[in-house]
Amino acid sequence: MEIKVMKRVLDRNQDKAEQVRKLLKEQRVKMYNFISSPGAGKTTLLEKTCEYLKDKANIGIIEGDVSTDRDAQRLKMYGNPIVLINTDGGCHLDSNSIEKALSEFSLADLDMIFVENVGNLVCPSHFDLGETSKIAVVSTSEGDDKPIKYPMLFRDAEAVVLNKMDLMEHTNFNYNLFKKDLRSVNPEVPLFRVSCTKDEGLGPWLEWIEGKVKVEL
Amino acid sequence: MHETAIVQDMFRIIDQVAEENQLKRIDRVNFVIGKMMQVVPDLFYFAFDAAKEGTIAENSEVKLEFLPIKMKCKSCGKEFLIDNNVFYCPACQNTDLDLIQGKELLIKSIEGE
């Protein structure tokens, strides 16, 4: 016999994500989920962002890594409350671990939470954390074809940061092709070209994220 | 994407359905996957074959139905399929689109006795 089921798989993460989203809305805290491949520069971007927002917003950080607390240690120096999640081999954060992390913050004291997801362009974009939106970080040293290869992330992202612009001349990264592909996947997404280590081009990104502080959820 | 995690969660649902319906044997699982999820069929079959050993589904097969990515234009209402990652409305060139199909990971039905 054939039994009709019509049940979604991986539903539990989605259900929990909706609970997280509801909690954040009640507490009026915006949460941004930073997703990139390993080494694109998420942590450095967050360092620059936290430094800029120091006296402008109350930021909490959820740091996701497979192992070690190296990135968390780097971000600690900016004085924001920070919760580390080691996935011990897991390739993405999930809403359950985010919910637990949120219980360690005093949400009433925060304006925004930045989640640094595990370095991975595939899985994090499929696991809703209950975030306000995703920020895709990509770099010129990893090839210009990421938007077309990972459309789900670039389609869902509220902003795209292209890092390591200072290295572009030493690679075969074709910026026009990258932009064309990005625009076909997500025609309107803001694109910020930066070099975090050289402190170049960060102004528009920092103004954009600062602008989000006052936006109502 | 996460074929193993998908299969593991699938078996949680299979076990539930089997218990509710007193099934002793699963013959086939009919599974619907939206193309936006980037599931690799070979990896999926591999994970399924590994997970089914020693269960009531051990002689079963899984049938995958892939759904294309479908968008709806918020401006003119046109519904259309995406097959080359180009997200513009073909009728009015608008880029403000709703995704109405493509992210499914759904057990449609289970066949067994």
Side-chain angles (χ1 to χ4, degrees), chain A residues 1-3 5-10 12 91-92 122-123 126 148-149 151-152 155-156 184-185 187-188, chain B residues 1-2 6 9 12 16 23 36-38 71 85-87 95 103 105 107-113:
Chain A
M1 62 171 159
E2 184 171 357
I3 299 153
V5 176
M6 298 305 281
K7 276 200 179 156
R8 286 188 316 189
V9 171
L10 299 180
R12 285 186 297 186
C91 49
H92 62 274
V122 184
C123 311
H126 293 86
I148 209 80
K149 280 190 177 177
M152 188 151 163
R155 175 97 199 128
D156 285 349
S184 67
V185 166
E188 306 290 339
Chain B
M1 187 285 297
H2 266 256
I6 293 169
D9 207 43
R12 179 183 60 84
Q16 242 172 39
L23 299 178
M36 201 77 161
M37 303 309 280
Q38 294 187 292
M71 309 296 285
N85 287 336
V86 176
F87 289 81
T95 56
K103 286 192 180 180
L105 280 177
I107 299 181
K108 191 165 144 185
S109 65
I110 291 174
E111 296 171 37
E113 293 298 334

mmCIF file of all heavy atoms in Angstrom, chain A residues 1-3 5-10 12 91-92 122-123 126 148-149 151-152 155-156 184-185 187-188, chain B residues 1-2 6 9 12 16 23 36-38 71 85-87 95 103 105 107-113:
data_model
loop_
_atom_site.group_PDB
_atom_site.id
_atom_site.type_symbol
_atom_site.label_atom_id
_atom_site.label_comp_id
_atom_site.label_asym_id
_atom_site.label_seq_id
_atom_site.Cartn_x
_atom_site.Cartn_y
_atom_site.Cartn_z
ATOM 1 N N MET A 1 0.835 -1.210 0.000
ATOM 2 C CA MET A 1 0.000 0.000 0.000
ATOM 3 C C MET A 1 0.870 1.261 0.000
ATOM 4 O O MET A 1 2.025 1.224 0.446
ATOM 5 C CB MET A 1 -0.923 0.006 1.227
ATOM 6 C CG MET A 1 -0.230 0.023 2.578
ATOM 7 S SD MET A 1 -1.429 0.297 3.875
ATOM 8 C CE MET A 1 -0.574 -0.343 5.297
ATOM 9 N N GLU A 2 0.297 2.311 -0.515
ATOM 10 C CA GLU A 2 1.046 3.580 -0.567
ATOM 11 C C GLU A 2 0.428 4.534 0.442
ATOM 12 O O GLU A 2 -0.770 4.787 0.403
ATOM 13 C CB GLU A 2 0.985 4.173 -1.970
ATOM 14 C CG GLU A 2 1.832 5.445 -2.083
ATOM 15 C CD GLU A 2 1.978 5.959 -3.508
ATOM 16 O OE1 GLU A 2 1.474 5.298 -4.432
ATOM 17 O OE2 GLU A 2 2.589 7.029 -3.691
ATOM 18 N N ILE A 3 1.262 5.023 1.327
ATOM 19 C CA ILE A 3 0.776 5.950 2.361
ATOM 20 C C ILE A 3 1.261 7.348 2.016
ATOM 21 O O ILE A 3 2.470 7.580 1.864
ATOM 22 C CB ILE A 3 1.307 5.533 3.748
ATOM 23 C CG1 ILE A 3 0.817 4.136 4.105
ATOM 24 C CG2 ILE A 3 0.894 6.540 4.826
ATOM 25 C CD1 ILE A 3 1.716 3.394 5.038
ATOM 26 N N VAL A 5 2.433 10.887 2.767
ATOM 27 C CA VAL A 5 3.138 11.399 3.945
ATOM 28 C C VAL A 5 3.204 12.930 3.922
ATOM 29 O O VAL A 5 2.797 13.588 4.851
ATOM 30 C CB VAL A 5 4.562 10.798 4.037
ATOM 31 C CG1 VAL A 5 5.341 11.402 5.193
ATOM 32 C CG2 VAL A 5 4.490 9.283 4.167
ATOM 33 N N MET A 6 3.751 13.481 2.870
ATOM 34 C CA MET A 6 3.887 14.946 2.672
ATOM 35 C C MET A 6 4.496 15.623 3.896
ATOM 36 O O MET A 6 3.961 16.597 4.417
ATOM 37 C CB MET A 6 2.521 15.573 2.339
ATOM 38 C CG MET A 6 1.900 15.063 1.046
ATOM 39 S SD MET A 6 2.969 15.232 -0.401
ATOM 40 C CE MET A 6 2.763 16.941 -0.774
ATOM 41 N N LYS A 7 5.610 15.081 4.353
ATOM 42 C CA LYS A 7 6.308 15.683 5.506
ATOM 43 C C LYS A 7 7.660 16.209 5.063
ATOM 44 O O LYS A 7 8.398 15.531 4.346
ATOM 45 C CB LYS A 7 6.518 14.637 6.605
ATOM 46 C CG LYS A 7 5.335 14.465 7.497
ATOM 47 C CD LYS A 7 5.719 13.819 8.810
ATOM 48 C CE LYS A 7 4.444 13.707 9.661
ATOM 49 N NZ LYS A 7 4.503 12.690 10.640
ATOM 50 N N ARG A 8 7.988 17.398 5.546
ATOM 51 C CA ARG A 8 9.278 17.989 5.194
ATOM 52 C C ARG A 8 10.376 17.386 6.054
ATOM 53 O O ARG A 8 10.204 17.194 7.264
ATOM 54 C CB ARG A 8 9.257 19.495 5.423
ATOM 55 C CG ARG A 8 8.465 20.267 4.393
ATOM 56 C CD ARG A 8 8.642 21.737 4.561
ATOM 57 N NE ARG A 8 8.558 22.139 5.957
ATOM 58 C CZ ARG A 8 8.516 23.398 6.359
ATOM 59 N NH1 ARG A 8 8.551 24.376 5.503
ATOM 60 N NH2 ARG A 8 8.454 23.689 7.641
ATOM 61 N N VAL A 9 11.506 17.153 5.421
ATOM 62 C CA VAL A 9 12.681 16.673 6.131
ATOM 63 C C VAL A 9 13.449 17.893 6.637
ATOM 64 O O VAL A 9 13.333 18.967 6.074
ATOM 65 C CB VAL A 9 13.541 15.834 5.163
ATOM 66 C CG1 VAL A 9 14.875 15.486 5.748
ATOM 67 C CG2 VAL A 9 12.817 14.564 4.792
ATOM 68 N N LEU A 10 14.195 17.714 7.718
ATOM 69 C CA LEU A 10 14.968 18.803 8.339
ATOM 70 C C LEU A 10 14.041 19.931 8.813
ATOM 71 O O LEU A 10 14.435 21.085 8.916
ATOM 72 C CB LEU A 10 16.050 19.359 7.404
ATOM 73 C CG LEU A 10 17.110 18.356 6.952
ATOM 74 C CD1 LEU A 10 18.130 19.016 6.043
ATOM 75 C CD2 LEU A 10 17.813 17.719 8.131
ATOM 76 N N ARG A 12 12.772 20.227 11.779
ATOM 77 C CA ARG A 12 12.996 20.635 13.165
ATOM 78 C C ARG A 12 13.878 21.862 13.251
ATOM 79 O O ARG A 12 13.662 22.733 14.078
ATOM 80 C CB ARG A 12 13.582 19.486 13.974
ATOM 81 C CG ARG A 12 12.534 18.436 14.309
ATOM 82 C CD ARG A 12 13.044 17.369 15.217
ATOM 83 N NE ARG A 12 14.118 16.616 14.608
ATOM 84 C CZ ARG A 12 14.670 15.544 15.164
ATOM 85 N NH1 ARG A 12 14.247 15.108 16.340
ATOM 86 N NH2 ARG A 12 15.641 14.906 14.561
ATOM 87 N N CYS A 91 29.466 21.001 9.929
ATOM 88 C CA CYS A 91 29.895 21.942 8.889
ATOM 89 C C CYS A 91 29.024 23.186 8.813
ATOM 90 O O CYS A 91 29.188 23.992 7.899
ATOM 91 C CB CYS A 91 29.915 21.245 7.540
ATOM 92 S SG CYS A 91 28.417 20.351 7.199
ATOM 93 N N HIS A 92 28.109 23.369 9.745
ATOM 94 C CA HIS A 92 27.275 24.554 9.743
ATOM 95 C C HIS A 92 26.709 24.725 11.149
ATOM 96 O O HIS A 92 26.683 23.778 11.935
ATOM 97 C CB HIS A 92 26.102 24.390 8.755
ATOM 98 C CG HIS A 92 25.194 23.253 9.111
ATOM 99 N ND1 HIS A 92 25.420 21.957 8.721
ATOM 100 C CD2 HIS A 92 24.070 23.208 9.874
ATOM 101 C CE1 HIS A 92 24.494 21.165 9.222
ATOM 102 N NE2 HIS A 92 23.660 21.894 9.913
ATOM 103 N N VAL A 122 28.072 26.085 1.209
ATOM 104 C CA VAL A 122 26.899 25.272 0.859
ATOM 105 C C VAL A 122 25.938 25.140 2.042
ATOM 106 O O VAL A 122 24.867 25.729 2.040
ATOM 107 C CB VAL A 122 27.325 23.865 0.373
ATOM 108 C CG1 VAL A 122 26.108 23.073 -0.081
ATOM 109 C CG2 VAL A 122 28.335 23.983 -0.757
ATOM 110 N N CYS A 123 26.338 24.399 3.034
ATOM 111 C CA CYS A 123 25.403 24.003 4.097
ATOM 112 C C CYS A 123 24.828 25.162 4.913
ATOM 113 O O CYS A 123 23.631 25.171 5.186
ATOM 114 C CB CYS A 123 26.056 22.991 5.023
ATOM 115 S SG CYS A 123 26.840 21.656 4.108
ATOM 116 N N HIS A 126 21.578 26.598 3.798
ATOM 117 C CA HIS A 126 20.389 25.763 3.826
ATOM 118 C C HIS A 126 19.815 25.603 5.217
ATOM 119 O O HIS A 126 18.759 25.005 5.382
ATOM 120 C CB HIS A 126 20.701 24.364 3.274
ATOM 121 C CG HIS A 126 21.027 24.364 1.822
ATOM 122 N ND1 HIS A 126 22.284 24.596 1.335
ATOM 123 C CD2 HIS A 126 20.249 24.174 0.738
ATOM 124 C CE1 HIS A 126 22.264 24.535 0.010
ATOM 125 N NE2 HIS A 126 21.050 24.286 -0.374
ATOM 126 N N ILE A 148 27.501 32.011 -9.261
ATOM 127 C CA ILE A 148 26.788 31.116 -10.171
ATOM 128 C C ILE A 148 26.825 29.671 -9.652
ATOM 129 O O ILE A 148 25.931 28.874 -9.927
ATOM 130 C CB ILE A 148 27.349 31.236 -11.620
ATOM 131 C CG1 ILE A 148 26.272 30.932 -12.640
ATOM 132 C CG2 ILE A 148 28.600 30.434 -11.841
ATOM 133 C CD1 ILE A 148 25.347 32.070 -12.897
ATOM 134 N N LYS A 149 27.856 29.368 -8.861
ATOM 135 C CA LYS A 149 27.964 27.997 -8.340
ATOM 136 C C LYS A 149 27.130 27.793 -7.079
ATOM 137 O O LYS A 149 26.723 26.681 -6.775
ATOM 138 C CB LYS A 149 29.427 27.689 -7.987
ATOM 139 C CG LYS A 149 30.287 27.319 -9.169
ATOM 140 C CD LYS A 149 31.626 26.812 -8.685
ATOM 141 C CE LYS A 149 32.490 26.362 -9.837
ATOM 142 N NZ LYS A 149 33.818 25.931 -9.400
ATOM 143 N N PRO A 151 24.081 29.597 -5.998
ATOM 144 C CA PRO A 151 23.021 30.603 -6.177
ATOM 145 C C PRO A 151 22.149 30.794 -4.944
ATOM 146 O O PRO A 151 21.680 31.897 -4.700
ATOM 147 C CB PRO A 151 22.197 30.056 -7.343
ATOM 148 C CG PRO A 151 22.520 28.602 -7.419
ATOM 149 C CD PRO A 151 23.922 28.464 -6.927
ATOM 150 N N MET A 152 21.944 29.737 -4.156
ATOM 151 C CA MET A 152 21.033 29.872 -3.021
ATOM 152 C C MET A 152 21.546 30.907 -2.027
ATOM 153 O O MET A 152 20.785 31.746 -1.556
ATOM 154 C CB MET A 152 20.834 28.523 -2.321
ATOM 155 C CG MET A 152 19.745 28.565 -1.268
ATOM 156 S SD MET A 152 18.969 26.974 -1.084
ATOM 157 C CE MET A 152 18.174 27.193 0.496
ATOM 158 N N ARG A 155 21.455 34.477 -3.685
ATOM 159 C CA ARG A 155 20.078 34.898 -3.893
ATOM 160 C C ARG A 155 19.466 35.380 -2.574
ATOM 161 O O ARG A 155 18.722 36.340 -2.524
ATOM 162 C CB ARG A 155 19.281 33.714 -4.450
ATOM 163 C CG ARG A 155 17.824 33.931 -4.603
ATOM 164 C CD ARG A 155 17.435 34.315 -6.015
ATOM 165 N NE ARG A 155 16.110 34.923 -5.952
ATOM 166 C CZ ARG A 155 15.787 36.085 -6.471
ATOM 167 N NH1 ARG A 155 16.684 36.771 -7.138
ATOM 168 N NH2 ARG A 155 14.587 36.566 -6.348
ATOM 169 N N ASP A 156 19.783 34.675 -1.492
ATOM 170 C CA ASP A 156 19.174 34.975 -0.193
ATOM 171 C C ASP A 156 19.888 36.090 0.563
ATOM 172 O O ASP A 156 19.350 36.637 1.513
ATOM 173 C CB ASP A 156 19.189 33.717 0.699
ATOM 174 C CG ASP A 156 18.139 32.702 0.271
ATOM 175 O OD1 ASP A 156 17.281 33.052 -0.563
ATOM 176 O OD2 ASP A 156 18.185 31.559 0.761
ATOM 177 N N SER A 184 22.835 38.325 -12.256
ATOM 178 C CA SER A 184 21.812 37.436 -12.824
ATOM 179 C C SER A 184 21.156 36.603 -11.720
ATOM 180 O O SER A 184 19.982 36.276 -11.800
ATOM 181 C CB SER A 184 22.384 36.556 -13.930
ATOM 182 O OG SER A 184 23.314 35.650 -13.428
ATOM 183 N N VAL A 185 21.907 36.313 -10.654
ATOM 184 C CA VAL A 185 21.341 35.547 -9.544
ATOM 185 C C VAL A 185 20.561 36.449 -8.593
ATOM 186 O O VAL A 185 19.502 36.077 -8.087
ATOM 187 C CB VAL A 185 22.483 34.816 -8.791
ATOM 188 C CG1 VAL A 185 22.024 34.286 -7.450
ATOM 189 C CG2 VAL A 185 23.027 33.682 -9.631
ATOM 190 N N PRO A 187 19.732 40.475 -8.787
ATOM 191 C CA PRO A 187 19.950 41.742 -9.503
ATOM 192 C C PRO A 187 20.131 42.968 -8.610
ATOM 193 O O PRO A 187 20.743 43.935 -9.017
ATOM 194 C CB PRO A 187 18.678 41.861 -10.356
ATOM 195 C CG PRO A 187 18.193 40.460 -10.513
ATOM 196 C CD PRO A 187 18.517 39.780 -9.224
ATOM 197 N N GLU A 188 19.576 42.928 -7.401
ATOM 198 C CA GLU A 188 19.550 44.169 -6.615
ATOM 199 C C GLU A 188 20.461 44.166 -5.395
ATOM 200 O O GLU A 188 20.556 45.157 -4.701
ATOM 201 C CB GLU A 188 18.107 44.431 -6.120
ATOM 202 C CG GLU A 188 17.044 44.456 -7.213
ATOM 203 C CD GLU A 188 17.162 45.678 -8.105
ATOM 204 O OE1 GLU A 188 17.772 46.671 -7.681
ATOM 205 O OE2 GLU A 188 16.637 45.622 -9.239
ATOM 206 N N MET B 1 23.895 18.546 -1.014
ATOM 207 C CA MET B 1 23.941 19.216 0.277
ATOM 208 C C MET B 1 23.418 18.318 1.381
ATOM 209 O O MET B 1 22.268 17.958 1.409
ATOM 210 C CB MET B 1 23.079 20.467 0.205
ATOM 211 C CG MET B 1 23.125 21.378 1.407
ATOM 212 S SD MET B 1 22.248 20.860 2.879
ATOM 213 C CE MET B 1 20.549 20.825 2.341
ATOM 214 N N HIS B 2 24.294 17.937 2.275
ATOM 215 C CA HIS B 2 23.854 17.238 3.476
ATOM 216 C C HIS B 2 22.979 16.036 3.202
ATOM 217 O O HIS B 2 21.993 15.794 3.897
ATOM 218 C CB HIS B 2 23.133 18.197 4.418
ATOM 219 C CG HIS B 2 24.091 18.741 5.403
ATOM 220 N ND1 HIS B 2 24.146 18.320 6.707
ATOM 221 C CD2 HIS B 2 25.098 19.615 5.231
ATOM 222 C CE1 HIS B 2 25.154 18.948 7.296
ATOM 223 N NE2 HIS B 2 25.742 19.735 6.440
ATOM 224 N N ILE B 6 19.955 14.534 5.552
ATOM 225 C CA ILE B 6 18.606 14.419 4.981
ATOM 226 C C ILE B 6 18.111 12.982 5.132
ATOM 227 O O ILE B 6 16.989 12.735 5.577
ATOM 228 C CB ILE B 6 18.598 14.817 3.491
ATOM 229 C CG1 ILE B 6 18.891 16.310 3.343
ATOM 230 C CG2 ILE B 6 17.273 14.472 2.838
ATOM 231 C CD1 ILE B 6 19.160 16.743 1.911
ATOM 232 N N ASP B 9 17.241 12.094 8.766
ATOM 233 C CA ASP B 9 15.958 12.655 9.191
ATOM 234 C C ASP B 9 14.801 11.957 8.484
ATOM 235 O O ASP B 9 13.725 11.769 9.057
ATOM 236 C CB ASP B 9 15.918 14.168 8.947
ATOM 237 C CG ASP B 9 14.971 14.857 9.910
ATOM 238 O OD1 ASP B 9 14.994 14.497 11.109
ATOM 239 O OD2 ASP B 9 14.197 15.726 9.473
ATOM 240 N N ARG B 12 13.861 8.930 10.350
ATOM 241 C CA ARG B 12 13.072 9.258 11.549
ATOM 242 C C ARG B 12 11.580 9.293 11.166
ATOM 243 O O ARG B 12 10.723 8.762 11.876
ATOM 244 C CB ARG B 12 13.516 10.614 12.101
ATOM 245 C CG ARG B 12 12.761 11.076 13.338
ATOM 246 C CD ARG B 12 13.216 12.474 13.765
ATOM 247 N NE ARG B 12 13.020 13.492 12.763
ATOM 248 C CZ ARG B 12 11.887 14.162 12.561
ATOM 249 N NH1 ARG B 12 10.825 13.895 13.313
ATOM 250 N NH2 ARG B 12 11.803 15.072 11.607
ATOM 251 N N GLN B 16 8.417 6.622 12.008
ATOM 252 C CA GLN B 16 7.154 7.136 12.569
ATOM 253 C C GLN B 16 5.964 6.624 11.770
ATOM 254 O O GLN B 16 4.975 6.118 12.324
ATOM 255 C CB GLN B 16 7.137 8.667 12.437
ATOM 256 C CG GLN B 16 7.077 9.454 13.703
ATOM 257 C CD GLN B 16 7.270 10.949 13.411
ATOM 258 O OE1 GLN B 16 6.767 11.480 12.410
ATOM 259 N NE2 GLN B 16 8.010 11.615 14.266
ATOM 260 N N LEU B 23 3.530 -1.019 9.514
ATOM 261 C CA LEU B 23 4.215 -1.590 8.358
ATOM 262 C C LEU B 23 5.334 -2.508 8.834
ATOM 263 O O LEU B 23 6.047 -2.196 9.783
ATOM 264 C CB LEU B 23 4.808 -0.477 7.485
ATOM 265 C CG LEU B 23 3.833 0.528 6.872
ATOM 266 C CD1 LEU B 23 4.593 1.579 6.082
ATOM 267 C CD2 LEU B 23 2.827 -0.165 5.986
ATOM 268 N N MET B 36 16.817 23.987 -6.028
ATOM 269 C CA MET B 36 17.617 25.002 -5.327
ATOM 270 C C MET B 36 18.444 24.364 -4.210
ATOM 271 O O MET B 36 19.445 24.922 -3.761
ATOM 272 C CB MET B 36 16.664 26.033 -4.710
ATOM 273 C CG MET B 36 17.280 27.367 -4.395
ATOM 274 S SD MET B 36 17.495 28.381 -5.856
ATOM 275 C CE MET B 36 17.679 29.980 -5.131
ATOM 276 N N MET B 37 18.060 23.182 -3.748
ATOM 277 C CA MET B 37 18.728 22.551 -2.604
ATOM 278 C C MET B 37 20.046 21.882 -2.998
ATOM 279 O O MET B 37 20.808 21.464 -2.143
ATOM 280 C CB MET B 37 17.808 21.526 -1.927
ATOM 281 C CG MET B 37 16.489 22.108 -1.451
ATOM 282 S SD MET B 37 16.692 23.575 -0.444
ATOM 283 C CE MET B 37 17.094 22.835 1.120
ATOM 284 N N GLN B 38 20.296 21.754 -4.290
ATOM 285 C CA GLN B 38 21.584 21.219 -4.778
ATOM 286 C C GLN B 38 21.942 19.874 -4.136
ATOM 287 O O GLN B 38 23.056 19.656 -3.680
ATOM 288 C CB GLN B 38 22.714 22.250 -4.562
ATOM 289 C CG GLN B 38 22.523 23.495 -5.424
ATOM 290 C CD GLN B 38 23.686 24.467 -5.372
ATOM 291 O OE1 GLN B 38 23.949 25.089 -4.356
ATOM 292 N NE2 GLN B 38 24.375 24.626 -6.483
ATOM 293 N N MET B 71 9.607 30.861 -10.051
ATOM 294 C CA MET B 71 9.466 32.175 -9.421
ATOM 295 C C MET B 71 8.151 32.811 -9.858
ATOM 296 O O MET B 71 7.598 32.454 -10.906
ATOM 297 C CB MET B 71 10.613 33.111 -9.848
ATOM 298 C CG MET B 71 11.998 32.547 -9.702
ATOM 299 S SD MET B 71 12.495 32.178 -8.022
ATOM 300 C CE MET B 71 12.809 33.797 -7.364
ATOM 301 N N ASN B 85 20.010 30.077 -13.657
ATOM 302 C CA ASN B 85 20.370 31.017 -12.589
ATOM 303 C C ASN B 85 20.227 32.470 -13.000
ATOM 304 O O ASN B 85 20.981 33.322 -12.536
ATOM 305 C CB ASN B 85 21.797 30.747 -12.079
ATOM 306 C CG ASN B 85 21.856 29.474 -11.249
ATOM 307 O OD1 ASN B 85 20.853 29.044 -10.695
ATOM 308 N ND2 ASN B 85 23.008 28.855 -11.189
ATOM 309 N N VAL B 86 19.285 32.778 -13.884
ATOM 310 C CA VAL B 86 19.012 34.162 -14.245
ATOM 311 C C VAL B 86 17.656 34.545 -13.658
ATOM 312 O O VAL B 86 16.633 33.987 -14.036
ATOM 313 C CB VAL B 86 18.984 34.353 -15.777
ATOM 314 C CG1 VAL B 86 18.597 35.784 -16.125
ATOM 315 C CG2 VAL B 86 20.335 34.012 -16.373
ATOM 316 N N PHE B 87 17.682 35.465 -12.718
ATOM 317 C CA PHE B 87 16.483 35.765 -11.941
ATOM 318 C C PHE B 87 15.849 37.092 -12.360
ATOM 319 O O PHE B 87 15.824 38.061 -11.601
ATOM 320 C CB PHE B 87 16.823 35.759 -10.439
ATOM 321 C CG PHE B 87 17.109 34.377 -9.898
ATOM 322 C CD1 PHE B 87 18.349 33.787 -10.071
ATOM 323 C CD2 PHE B 87 16.134 33.669 -9.225
ATOM 324 C CE1 PHE B 87 18.615 32.509 -9.587
ATOM 325 C CE2 PHE B 87 16.384 32.387 -8.728
ATOM 326 C CZ PHE B 87 17.621 31.813 -8.911
ATOM 327 N N THR B 95 12.892 42.488 -11.235
ATOM 328 C CA THR B 95 13.765 41.598 -10.483
ATOM 329 C C THR B 95 13.213 41.275 -9.095
ATOM 330 O O THR B 95 13.827 40.536 -8.336
ATOM 331 C CB THR B 95 15.153 42.241 -10.326
ATOM 332 O OG1 THR B 95 14.984 43.527 -9.700
ATOM 333 C CG2 THR B 95 15.827 42.419 -11.668
ATOM 334 N N LYS B 103 12.665 24.786 -3.095
ATOM 335 C CA LYS B 103 13.395 24.503 -1.847
ATOM 336 C C LYS B 103 12.785 23.295 -1.109
ATOM 337 O O LYS B 103 12.978 23.123 0.083
ATOM 338 C CB LYS B 103 13.347 25.743 -0.936
ATOM 339 C CG LYS B 103 14.246 26.871 -1.403
ATOM 340 C CD LYS B 103 14.390 27.932 -0.322
ATOM 341 C CE LYS B 103 15.296 29.058 -0.785
ATOM 342 N NZ LYS B 103 15.459 30.099 0.246
ATOM 343 N N LEU B 105 12.134 19.635 0.364
ATOM 344 C CA LEU B 105 12.788 18.380 0.769
ATOM 345 C C LEU B 105 11.665 17.597 1.442
ATOM 346 O O LEU B 105 11.425 17.731 2.637
ATOM 347 C CB LEU B 105 13.900 18.617 1.797
ATOM 348 C CG LEU B 105 15.259 19.103 1.341
ATOM 349 C CD1 LEU B 105 16.173 19.339 2.541
ATOM 350 C CD2 LEU B 105 15.918 18.102 0.397
ATOM 351 N N ILE B 107 9.099 14.113 1.939
ATOM 352 C CA ILE B 107 8.705 12.714 1.710
ATOM 353 C C ILE B 107 7.262 12.764 1.228
ATOM 354 O O ILE B 107 6.350 13.135 1.983
ATOM 355 C CB ILE B 107 8.794 11.858 2.991
ATOM 356 C CG1 ILE B 107 10.218 11.832 3.509
ATOM 357 C CG2 ILE B 107 8.306 10.437 2.708
ATOM 358 C CD1 ILE B 107 10.402 10.983 4.755
ATOM 359 N N LYS B 108 7.059 12.425 -0.031
ATOM 360 C CA LYS B 108 5.708 12.515 -0.619
ATOM 361 C C LYS B 108 4.872 11.327 -0.141
ATOM 362 O O LYS B 108 3.756 11.477 0.330
ATOM 363 C CB LYS B 108 5.838 12.493 -2.132
ATOM 364 C CG LYS B 108 4.585 12.834 -2.883
ATOM 365 C CD LYS B 108 4.979 13.135 -4.335
ATOM 366 C CE LYS B 108 3.936 12.663 -5.301
ATOM 367 N NZ LYS B 108 4.363 12.830 -6.689
ATOM 368 N N SER B 109 5.431 10.123 -0.259
ATOM 369 C CA SER B 109 4.689 8.935 0.170
ATOM 370 C C SER B 109 5.655 7.794 0.444
ATOM 371 O O SER B 109 6.817 7.827 0.037
ATOM 372 C CB SER B 109 3.677 8.514 -0.896
ATOM 373 O OG SER B 109 4.357 8.112 -2.072
ATOM 374 N N ILE B 110 5.125 6.788 1.149
ATOM 375 C CA ILE B 110 5.913 5.584 1.462
ATOM 376 C C ILE B 110 5.084 4.375 1.041
ATOM 377 O O ILE B 110 3.892 4.293 1.354
ATOM 378 C CB ILE B 110 6.225 5.520 2.974
ATOM 379 C CG1 ILE B 110 7.203 6.637 3.348
ATOM 380 C CG2 ILE B 110 6.803 4.167 3.367
ATOM 381 C CD1 ILE B 110 7.467 6.752 4.835
ATOM 382 N N GLU B 111 5.722 3.463 0.325
ATOM 383 C CA GLU B 111 5.023 2.236 -0.101
ATOM 384 C C GLU B 111 5.567 1.050 0.695
ATOM 385 O O GLU B 111 6.780 0.897 0.840
ATOM 386 C CB GLU B 111 5.243 2.000 -1.598
ATOM 387 C CG GLU B 111 4.639 3.100 -2.459
ATOM 388 C CD GLU B 111 5.062 2.976 -3.925
ATOM 389 O OE1 GLU B 111 5.174 1.838 -4.423
ATOM 390 O OE2 GLU B 111 5.289 4.025 -4.559
ATOM 391 N N GLY B 112 4.649 0.256 1.226
ATOM 392 C CA GLY B 112 5.088 -0.905 2.016
ATOM 393 C C GLY B 112 3.915 -1.763 2.426
ATOM 394 O O GLY B 112 2.768 -1.507 2.044
ATOM 395 N N GLU B 113 4.205 -2.774 3.250
ATOM 396 C CA GLU B 113 3.157 -3.671 3.752
ATOM 397 C C GLU B 113 3.311 -3.889 5.259
ATOM 398 O O GLU B 113 4.433 -3.955 5.745
ATOM 399 C CB GLU B 113 3.233 -5.044 3.049
ATOM 400 C CG GLU B 113 2.905 -5.003 1.574
ATOM 401 C CD GLU B 113 1.467 -4.525 1.278
ATOM 402 O OE1 GLU B 113 0.595 -4.689 2.156
ATOM 403 O OE2 GLU B 113 1.237 -3.989 0.191
#
